[in-house]
Amino acid sequence: MDIAGIRREVDRRLDPWSEQLGADRPGYTNHCLRVLTLCDRLAAPHGFVATDREEFLTAGAFHDIGVWSANTFDYLEPSAALATAWLTDNGRADLIDLVARMVDQHHKLRPAATPDDPVEIFRRADAIDIEFGILGRFGVPRSTYRELSRDLPDAGFHRRLLRLGAKRIRTNPLSPLPMLKW
């Protein structure tokens, strides 16, 4: 799927949350688009296009939405619940377990599965974007990430995460990053 098609699919899923996302909508949308584009890159050696598959589009759009919909930095469960509702409402309950794992494990610090598994492809793609393509790139060239970031600008997304993280550390010093998993 081309980037315009991916954007339409992400927008279709995020439109009900426009008010909650507010000024963060462009940054979050571009984060979702960067992650999904990276999923395509990481899935290609395994013989498929991630953005042609519902599980990637749904996990991509909803994976962090709980930050805004539930107003929490402990957002994995609320994000997975919204993805589950989307899948149920759109006749794809068969994907609930997979998408819930994709959302739940996307901040896992160690591999979540084998490199060809959708859960691991999604985890790696999100890690590349969260780390600005600096640390683990999983074979994606730095120039590819720079180009992707130029085409889909950050629009304050990482800055917002840093502010929310700092607030979480002040209010919950014993659980500063609840979304991280071993």
Side-chain angles (χ1 to χ4, degrees), residues 62-104:
F62 290 105
H63 72 285
D64 294 334
I65 194 73
V67 170
W68 293 272
S69 69
N71 197 31
T72 181
F73 210 50
D74 192 2
Y75 56 85
L76 295 179
E77 193 173 306
S79 297
L82 291 175
T84 295
W86 168 269
L87 292 167
T88 300
D89 291 349
N90 287 276
R92 293 306 309 261
D94 59 306
L95 295 174
I96 288 173
D97 288 339
L98 175 58
V99 171
R101 282 188 292 120
M102 291 169 78
V103 171
D104 182 64

